[in-house]
Amino acid sequence: MAAVGTWSFSRPAVERMRCMLLAGQNATDVVETAMAEVEDDIDTGQHIVGRGGYPNFKGVVECDAAIMEGVPGRFGAVAALQGIAQPCRVARKVMEKSPHSLLVGDGAEAFARESGFTSEPNANMLSDHSAAAYREYLEKHKPIRGGHDTIGLIALDRSGNITVGVSTSGAPFKSPGRVGDSPLPGCGLYADHTVGAAAATGDGDKIMCYCPSFHVVQLMKQGSSPNEACHTVLADIQRRIGGDKCFEIGLISLNIKGEVGAASSVEFPYTFWSQGLSSVEELVINRNP
């Protein structure tokens, strides 16, 4: 059993996952529950996730989320979803109830309502902090500095099932309808029950061009450790870009042995737990060497 999450603010989620995994719950329930708690916490909105996240340039919060099991064909996602504070729960419903794999915009919201979710007014999705930042953006065209854009969680349960989930409210003041890498399989997340899973965070418009999560899992399938796979993928992206600079990207991975890996082009804290550890731990990597 093991769990891993992107960024320092994932620690409460990984702690929640640890408790649920030790209680014998399955990986998908674990990821969905832990993710939903982060999404609905207005304080984590400043990290560009769920309720309290930054709106698009029209002042509307639009969320992307996805969940993927290691079992072939088990994937569900939503994008540009308005009025739903826990989009990962809707993504799971898409995976389990819809004939489709990815629903967006009005269609995603309609599906959520049909599935029993309550669509809230946009004002409920904003925090005082994000509303003030939006007003400042309108008045001064001041961009947001700092913060992060995606929470990614991976869980491995005692039966060997592995599930990965991601969620974000996307780039602050983005164009309405903009979708980043997060809800795209192979880009923001990927899982294979014979190998493991991976998730990405960072500049989604760039990340989606390289399908890094799929690449990480494929390298693990070929024998690389999670850490080796993440670093190899990042080095490949940097080589293809050329020069010394790389866009912001962080990668986490977990294999079915419970081994964790990560790599990043920026300072990147991530949290993890595995069977045998008494508590959740945090590591910080500065950048890919």
Side-chain angles (χ1 to χ4, degrees), residues 47-127:
H47 301 293
I48 319 185
V49 175
R51 190 188 300 278
Y54 297 102
N56 62 28
F57 75 64
K58 289 190 175 181
V60 179
V61 177
E62 293 183 326
C63 295
D64 305 338
I67 194 163
M68 187 173 195
E69 296 179 346
V71 178
R74 294 283 290 171
F75 171 81
V78 291
L81 176 61
Q82 301 178 11
I84 305 294
Q86 298 177 319
C88 73
R89 294 197 184 278
V90 184
R92 183 174 183 181
K93 288 291 186 183
V94 172
M95 179 176 71
E96 296 185 335
K97 303 294 184 182
S98 174
H100 310 299
S101 294
L102 170 61
L103 295 176
V104 305
D106 292 343
E109 187 176 353
F111 173 82
R113 290 196 302 268
E114 291 164 5
S115 299
F117 294 90
T118 300
S119 182
E120 301 183 49
N122 186 63
N124 289 8
M125 296 293 293
L126 292 165
S127 65

Side-chain angles (χ1 to χ4, degrees), residues 3-267:
V4 59
T6 56
W7 307 110
S8 296
F9 74 90
S10 70
R11 179 184 284 272
V14 175
E15 176 61 32
R16 176 77 157 138
M17 294 164 75
R18 181 186 75 87
C19 294
M20 294 180 69
L21 288 168
L22 288 172
Q25 299 199 42
N26 72 72
T28 302
D29 287 344
V30 166
V31 168
E32 179 190 6
T33 300
M35 185 78 73
E37 290 177 357
V38 173
E39 291 174 326
D40 204 28
D41 182 350
I42 201 163
D43 290 333
T44 58
Q46 63 183 310
H47 301 293
I48 319 185
V49 175
R51 190 188 300 278
Y54 297 102
N56 62 28
F57 75 64
K58 289 190 175 181
V60 179
V61 177
E62 293 183 326
C63 295
D64 305 338
I67 194 163
M68 187 173 195
E69 296 179 346
V71 178
R74 294 283 290 171
F75 171 81
V78 291
L81 176 61
Q82 301 178 11
I84 305 294
Q86 298 177 319
C88 73
R89 294 197 184 278
V90 184
R92 183 174 183 181
K93 288 291 186 183
V94 172
M95 179 176 71
E96 296 185 335
K97 303 294 184 182
S98 174
H100 310 299
S101 294
L102 170 61
L103 295 176
V104 305
D106 292 343
E109 187 176 353
F111 173 82
R113 290 196 302 268
E114 291 164 5
S115 299
F117 294 90
T118 300
S119 182
E120 301 183 49
N122 186 63
N124 289 8
M125 296 293 293
L126 292 165
S127 65
D128 291 343
H129 177 80
S130 61
Y134 178 63
R135 288 193 297 271
E136 188 169 24
Y137 167 75
L138 291 178
E139 295 167 2
K140 303 177 182 178
H141 297 284
K142 183 178 179 181
I144 297 296
R145 298 190 181 278
H148 310 301
D149 68 348
T150 303
I151 183 168
L153 300 175
I154 309 173
L156 174 69
D157 67 28
R158 65 176 50 170
S159 298
N161 302 307
I162 194 162
T163 298
V164 56
V166 294
S167 182
T168 180
S169 56
F173 320 132
K174 61 190 176 183
S175 296
R178 178 265 189 187
V179 177
D181 68 299
S182 296
L184 304 181
C187 299
L189 73 170
Y190 199 75
D192 181 331
H193 75 286
T194 66
V195 184
T201 180
D203 185 344
D205 293 294
K206 300 289 196 304
I207 289 172
M208 70 169 69
C209 300
Y210 297 90
C211 297
S213 295
F214 176 77
H215 194 179
V216 168
V217 173
Q218 287 301 104
L219 287 173
M220 291 195 294
K221 182 177 285 188
Q222 294 167 15
S224 294
S225 71
N227 213 46
E228 290 169 342
C230 288
H231 282 272
T232 298
V233 169
L234 186 50
D236 178 66
I237 292 172
Q238 291 175 318
R239 177 188 58 79
R240 292 162 69 184
I241 292 172
D244 297 329
K245 293 186 177 180
C246 183
F247 57 86
E248 182 177 324
I249 176 174
L251 298 167
I252 58 169
S253 60
L254 174 66
N255 66 16
I256 56 174
K257 298 177 184 177
E259 299 169 335
V260 173
S264 180
S265 63
V266 296
E267 184 174 293

